[in-house]
Amino acid sequence: MASILPPDTRPIVISGPSGVGKGTLYNRLFAAHPDVFTLSVSHTTRNRRNGEEDGVHYHFVTHEDFDTLIASDGFVEHAKYGSNKYGTSKMTIMEQTAKGKVVVLDIEMEGVKQIKSSPISARFVFIKPPSVGELERRLRGRGTETEESVKKRLAQAKVELDFAETPGIHDKVIVNNDLDAALKELDEWVYQPKPE
Ligand SMILES: Nc1ncnc2c1ncn2[C@@H]1O[C@H](COP(=O)(O)OP(=O)(O)OP(=O)(O)O)[C@@H](O)[C@H]1O
């Protein structure tokens, strides 16, 4: 498929419970349209893990640098998980957009709320599982989670699914049942003509 920019080039915010298939879907979208999209690189205060590259997987910063960015209103969204902070900086979005790419943000519910209440103009898509039982099967099937982590993610999933019912929050909701069908729906929504 040719590398054509979608008519609407605003950043795309993709959210949905852990294990629903967000990464699987946007990686396929990226592969279908090479050089069109770029995943936003978050800032984090957590330590770099083996194989992770600064500026590629995350921008690894100190707690002090992170707090300075918060104070200067440099984030579109940020949150604390455990003892570490994570956020998407305005500069990152601006730089990636300036390169002519459509920025894709993979963020959770609190981040969605923050971007919604910011001046950033974005498009919001929520990926929904066919059922909570299927979500659990995928999380377990991925083989990346401990039992405790599966339970935590499922509890959080219920909160996210409830929140997603709020009218007007998302521009598009896609049920990721059959992967090819969900990808087609995502692709068609991303490439739909720009609203007037
Ligand atoms: N439509 C589908 N049908 C069956 N399995 C799927 C489908 N989509 C994704 N999966 C599988 O579900 C698992 C979770 O997918 P993925 O890692 O993309 O989820 P995610 O939403 O990005 O999760 P996280 O937020 O934790 O990063 C993977 O093993 C993936 O192969």
Side-chain angles (χ1 to χ4, degrees), residues 5-60:
L5 276 174
D8 188 340
T9 56
R10 286 177 297 164
I12 296 167
V13 176
I14 185 160
S15 63
S18 174
V20 73
K22 300 180 295 295
T24 306
L25 278 168
Y26 61 68
N27 281 318
R28 291 213 180 188
L29 180 76
F30 295 176
H33 306 275
D35 299 323
V36 170
F37 302 96
T38 183
L39 193 62
S40 169
V41 180
S42 300
H43 280 62
T44 184
T45 57
R46 84 151 162 72
N47 290 329
R48 199 160 61 83
R49 296 184 189 135
N50 267 348
E52 285 182 338
E53 227 178 294
D54 187 35
V56 176
H57 298 93
Y58 282 101
H59 295 291
F60 294 98

Side-chain angles (χ1 to χ4, degrees), residues 4-184:
I4 298 169
L5 276 174
D8 188 340
T9 56
R10 286 177 297 164
I12 296 167
V13 176
I14 185 160
S15 63
S18 174
V20 73
K22 300 180 295 295
T24 306
L25 278 168
Y26 61 68
N27 281 318
R28 291 213 180 188
L29 180 76
F30 295 176
H33 306 275
D35 299 323
V36 170
F37 302 96
T38 183
L39 193 62
S40 169
V41 180
S42 300
H43 280 62
T44 184
T45 57
R46 84 151 162 72
N47 290 329
R48 199 160 61 83
R49 296 184 189 135
N50 267 348
E52 285 182 338
E53 227 178 294
D54 187 35
V56 176
H57 298 93
Y58 282 101
H59 295 291
F60 294 98
V61 293
T62 62
H63 281 274
E64 199 184 358
D65 287 346
F66 200 100
D67 291 344
T68 305
L69 258 174
I70 296 177
S72 61
D73 198 24
F75 285 111
V76 288
E77 58 84 27
H78 64 91
K80 196 171 177 188
Y81 299 105
S83 54
N84 282 307
K85 291 173 184 161
Y86 297 79
T88 308
S89 83
K90 289 179 181 166
M91 190 65 88
T92 300
I93 295 183
M94 273 159 48
E95 281 174 3
Q96 290 175 310
T97 304
K99 287 181 189 152
K101 302 277 176 84
V102 176
V103 180
V104 174
L105 294 96
D106 173 354
I107 53 177
E108 50 64 72
M109 189 180 74
E110 291 307 322
V112 170
K113 288 182 191 169
Q114 290 178 35
I115 296 183
K116 277 264 154 187
S117 61
S118 82
I120 298 276
S121 180
R123 303 203 262 168
F124 295 82
V125 55
F126 185 80
I127 311 298
K128 216 175 154 171
S131 65
V132 174
E134 174 59 21
L135 182 66
E136 183 169 356
R137 269 190 290 282
R138 285 183 198 173
L139 271 174
R140 291 189 192 283
R142 192 166 67 173
T144 50
E145 311 305 320
T146 61
E147 183 59 30
E148 193 196 338
S149 162
V150 168
K151 292 220 168 82
K152 230 164 104 181
R153 280 164 201 257
L154 284 176
Q156 180 59 20
K158 286 171 190 147
V159 177
E160 300 220 5
L161 289 166
D162 278 352
F163 169 71
E165 298 295 327
T166 318
I169 282 288
H170 295 101
D171 301 310
K172 177 77 180 167
V173 175
I174 296 173
V175 178
N176 182 19
N177 188 9
D178 175 73
L179 185 57
D180 288 337
L183 177 64
K184 185 165 180 279

